Amino acid sequence: MDTQGTTTGSTPHTPPPHPARPRAARRLAAAGAAVFALLATAATPLPPAAAPPEAPAKVRAAAPERSLTIAVAQSVDSLSPFLATRLVSTTIHRLVYEYLTNYDAKDARTIPALATAWKSSPDKLTWTYTVRDDSTWTDGRRATAEDAAWTFNKMMTDEGAASANGSFTANFKKVTAPDPRTLVVELKKPQATMTALDVPIVPKHVWEKVGDLSKFNNDKAFPVVGNGPYVITGYKPDQYVKLKANKSFWRGAPKFDELTMKYYKDGDAAVAALRRGEVGFVQGLTPAQAASLKSEPDIKVNDAPGRRFFALATNPGARDRTGRKFGDGHPALLDPAVRRALFQAVDRRAIVDKVFRGHAVEGQGYLPPRFADYHWKPPAGQRIDYDPAAAARTLDDAGYRKNADGKRVGKDGRPLDFRILCHATDPNDKAVGKYLTEWWGELGIGLKVECLDSVSDRWLAGEYDLAFDGYSVNPDPDYVLSIHTCAALPATPDASGQTDNFICDKQFDDLYGRQTVEYDKARRADLVKRMQSRLYDTGYMNVLVYPNAVEAYRTDQIASITTMPAAGGNIWGQDGYWSWWSAEPAAASGDASGRGSGPSPAVWIVVGAAVLMVFAIVFVVVRRRGTTAEDRE
């Protein structure tokens, strides 16, 4: 932590007058002493002993508010917790709404949040939660079990309300609130995620007035009523979200009074803003950006194992739950041999070394190694290694031969020319896209990298062949696995559903259903690993790397902040609100940005005037005496 010391006043020591000092010199010395006394008074605060008594509380000036601007690399998809899926949006919702339970920042174990305790019936079909009595909504009403019951019931009965997190309630049979402090959830069958329901609880008295939840983005009326550590007070699409500290938050108010999540489409612009002190935190740094910031004063770079995976997703043929197909994915990608050949021609080690510059781990299973209990590695006989020659043989054997122009074509004569969706704001997408173009080009496969500001519309419409994909994984892996089940497919072609990539595989679904009801941790972990094995073998998802969380903050704005896990963890995108709830403003900061505040402009005006006075006096005296300094002495 960098701090700026405060200089206190002191009594100057004045030597006795020189007996031979001329009168004019004495006048000059006196004038100079007076001027410098003025300077000291203007530029230096009073010593503690001389400070004026404190004003009565009713007239005492309010302490300056501490604000922090956070640079984010994603724009918000929705401020509705029923619709939002992007990391920036869910991070904001963790700050605004409590969940029934939370994850400990140290080791990600389940801890109380809105619920203080929970228990299940012997058959695991009924769960009873005790809701705390000291959580209030920011409009003054108490948060109760009725709010939680309404939230879950709405998700169970309204397709729009289930858009983002419907998998958590799909197995719910009945939810009731017998009294304000008791929530009862009855299940159709046992469910292992009942202490990890990552669902924001909303205030019933506010949300029951909303009509169509599938179209309500919660972005018109502010402040937004919540019960978390912060309150949303303003929003401008693709620009910023403003939040204010909730002083009545049951766990204690955050130290920063205001947060602004500011969207930067260009990462270099965000880094430049960090250097200038216009933002206090930046995430998603490239290796070059991180290296350039490490030597900067007042900036700390955090480089930690991440909770995300970075993958290639292959369009398996977009369809809805009824089997109705839509989109325009290349039919050759429905052939397992083509998918396997593509993955045989991807050098993951090169991506780690050349794109991420070592700030990542080579991809294998679906869940990152940070989650050691569930992380899976393919055994030697199953692992698909980088082998361009083997990839060529795979295509040859499957009937995809090169024509006279060196292009691979199918039996129908259609060339293997693919499109890949790329996030224009992500430099890693672009860099990996260049390597894929080269590697697959050597096989005779064409690739068009289509970088867009927003890939959502094309993705949801199934209008892609491949896409760069990534997800942040929670300590409980259920949700990130559920997005590849048949139940996650959209109800209709124009609905969003919860699916990530339109995957619907019977073997995967069977394993998913079994892990959901398995309470034995070891047996459940085995089922989760078998799910990853199946996903790996289908070839619809190719996990390239697990990127590190590379981020930086200004130490003259943020004195300390909690990482998750506590030992070498990340700051941005945590499984909880710990980072921004815990962040301590730098001790010496006094203005709204959290940076140090020197003398005011008015003080410097006085100082400037005093300096001019000194020079004027010297000039007059010298002109009148017509002697040198040695003569005066």
Side-chain angles (χ1 to χ4, degrees):
M1 179 178 67
D2 295 330
T3 59
Q4 296 177 346
T6 301
T7 304
T8 57
S10 58
T11 303
H13 173 70
T14 305
H18 194 285
R21 186 183 300 271
R23 183 179 303 173
R26 287 199 298 272
R27 287 198 300 267
L28 177 58
V35 168
F36 283 105
L38 176 62
L39 291 176
T41 302
T44 307
L46 290 170
E54 289 190 0
K58 62 181 179 180
V59 297
R60 186 180 304 158
E65 289 196 334
R66 305 296 184 91
S67 66
L68 180 70
T69 298
I70 300 164
V72 298
Q74 272 184 325
S75 60
V76 170
D77 55 343
S78 178
L79 288 181
S80 165
F82 295 111
L83 303 178
T85 58
R86 291 182 185 173
L87 181 60
V88 64
S89 308
T90 57
T91 296
I92 291 169
H93 289 142
R94 286 185 182 276
L95 292 171
V96 175
Y97 303 101
E98 276 279 42
Y99 297 13
L100 284 181
T101 60
N102 206 333
Y103 302 102
D104 190 281
K106 294 180 181 178
D107 55 13
R109 63 185 174 85
T110 300
I111 60 173
L114 185 59
T116 60
W118 45 88
K119 62 181 180 180
S120 69
S121 60
D123 61 4
K124 305 293 187 184
L125 291 177
T126 301
W127 284 76
T128 303
Y129 301 84
T130 301
V131 174
R132 65 176 57 256
D133 58 7
D134 58 351
S135 176
T136 58
W137 299 110
T138 49
D139 61 2
R141 292 206 190 187
R142 176 180 161 189
T144 69
E146 182 61 29
D147 295 305
W150 186 89
T151 300
F152 291 137
N153 277 307
K154 198 66 176 174
M155 293 170 63
M156 293 161 59
T157 58
D158 187 326
E159 191 76 33
S163 295
N165 299 305
S167 64
F168 288 112
T169 59
N171 182 45
F172 286 14
K173 179 180 179 182
K174 184 180 180 181
V175 182
T176 57
D179 61 68
R181 294 204 63 195
T182 306
L183 175 73
V184 180
V185 179
E186 298 178 37
L187 304 172
K188 300 171 187 175
K189 57 185 179 181
Q191 182 170 323
T193 61
M194 294 306 289
T195 60
L197 298 172
D198 293 317
V199 176
I201 304 301
V202 302
K204 174 186 174 182
H205 64 281
V206 174
W207 284 82
E208 65 183 353
K209 300 173 185 176
V210 176
D212 188 350
L213 283 176
S214 68
K215 298 179 180 178
F216 180 72
N217 281 314
N218 196 29
D219 57 1
K220 296 296 185 291
F222 300 101
V224 171
V225 177
N227 63 338
Y230 279 94
V231 184
I232 302 174
T233 58
Y235 168 63
K236 193 164 186 179
D238 299 326
Q239 293 192 40
Y240 63 78
V241 177
K242 290 185 178 295
L243 304 104
K244 196 171 185 67
N246 178 7
K247 300 297 184 182
S248 63
F249 181 50
W250 69 268
R251 201 184 287 275
K255 307 300 188 302
F256 277 101
D257 300 293
E258 293 182 339
L259 293 181
T260 299
M261 304 281 188
K262 186 174 181 181
Y263 172 58
Y264 282 85
K265 180 179 177 181
D266 185 294
D268 288 334
V271 170
L274 181 76
R275 285 194 170 98
R276 294 191 298 267
E278 295 171 1
V279 302
F281 176 87
V282 172
Q283 50 87 25
L285 296 175
T286 66
Q289 290 168 344
S292 71
L293 289 172
K294 283 186 176 179
S295 60
E296 289 280 340
D298 301 327
I299 291 179
K300 178 178 176 61
V301 174
N302 185 51
D303 188 351
R307 53 182 281 241
R308 291 183 65 80
F309 63 79
F310 176 71
L312 280 178
T314 305
N315 187 339
R319 52 182 159 165
D320 64 17
R321 287 179 212 160
T322 68
R324 183 169 28 175
K325 297 180 180 180
F326 56 93
D328 60 2
H330 198 298
L333 290 172
L334 301 179
D335 187 339
V338 174
R339 298 195 299 272
R340 182 176 183 83
L342 291 180
F343 297 164
Q344 287 175 317
V346 173
D347 189 346
R348 295 181 184 86
R349 187 70 252 165
I351 293 174
V352 170
D353 294 339
K354 297 179 180 180
V355 176
F356 289 88
R357 303 288 180 181
H359 297 270
V361 177
E362 186 177 344
Q364 298 179 86
Y366 191 62
L367 305 177
R370 170 167 161 173
F371 305 102
D373 291 340
Y374 298 111
H375 179 59
W376 172 81
K377 298 179 181 179
Q382 186 180 3
R383 180 182 172 94
I384 302 175
D385 290 313
Y386 176 58
D387 190 339
R393 289 195 299 271
T394 299
L395 290 172
D396 288 338
D397 293 344
Y400 297 91
R401 303 279 180 169
K402 286 185 177 181
N403 62 17
D405 297 324
K407 297 285 293 183
R408 293 276 178 179
V409 296
K411 295 175 182 178
D412 58 359
R414 182 174 177 178
L416 299 189
D417 286 331
F418 302 132
R419 305 158 297 168
I420 185 167
L421 284 179
C422 156
H423 300 81
T425 57
D426 191 333
N428 295 322
D429 282 14
K430 298 176 184 177
V432 175
K434 291 180 180 178
Y435 281 106
L436 295 180
T437 302
E438 176 186 339
W439 295 330
W440 293 349
E442 293 173 356
L443 283 177
I445 295 173
L447 182 66
K448 181 180 180 182
V449 182
E450 300 179 333
C451 293
L452 306 173
D453 288 343
S454 175
V455 302
S456 297
D457 290 343
R458 291 271 301 278
W459 200 313
L460 294 174
E463 295 173 353
Y464 66 98
D465 300 324
L466 299 113
F468 289 109
D469 196 6
Y471 250 93
S472 292
V473 179
N474 296 328
D476 189 291
D478 180 85
Y479 177 79
V480 80
L481 296 171
S482 75
I483 60 178
H484 294 308
T485 61
C486 300
L489 293 174
T492 62
D494 57 350
S496 60
Q498 292 176 264
T499 187
D500 176 50
N501 193 43
F502 301 103
I503 294 174
C504 179
D505 177 75
K506 187 179 183 303
Q507 289 187 43
F508 185 89
D509 269 27
D510 177 65
L511 290 166
Y512 176 79
R514 291 169 62 188
Q515 69 84 30
T516 298
V517 301
E518 181 56 71
Y519 283 86
D520 182 275
K521 189 172 182 178
R523 288 198 291 267
R524 186 178 179 222
D526 179 66
L527 288 166
V528 168
K529 290 177 181 178
R530 290 171 63 185
M531 291 177 71
Q532 295 177 77
S533 175
R534 176 60 184 169
L535 197 60
Y536 186 88
D537 286 344
T538 63
Y540 290 123
M541 293 292 297
N542 180 14
V543 177
L544 301 176
V545 299
Y546 311 110
N548 286 6
V550 188
E551 48 205 4
Y553 64 90
R554 292 198 64 93
T555 55
D556 55 358
Q557 295 187 31
I558 303 173
S560 66
I561 192 166
T562 298
T563 60
M564 185 176 185
N570 58 292
I571 295 171
W572 176 253
Q574 294 180 359
D575 302 296
Y577 41 63
W578 308 116
S579 52
W580 309 116
W581 173 74
S582 72
E584 293 269 0
S589 62
D591 62 5
S593 70
R595 302 188 69 185
S597 58
S600 69
V603 168
W604 288 115
I605 291 173
V606 174
V607 171
V611 171
L612 289 175
M613 188 185 301
V614 170
F615 282 108
I617 292 172
V618 171
F619 177 76
V620 170
V621 171
V622 171
R623 284 289 302 271
R624 288 181 177 177
R625 293 285 298 170
T627 61
T628 65
E630 288 76 15
D631 289 337
R632 288 195 304 271
E633 294 294 322

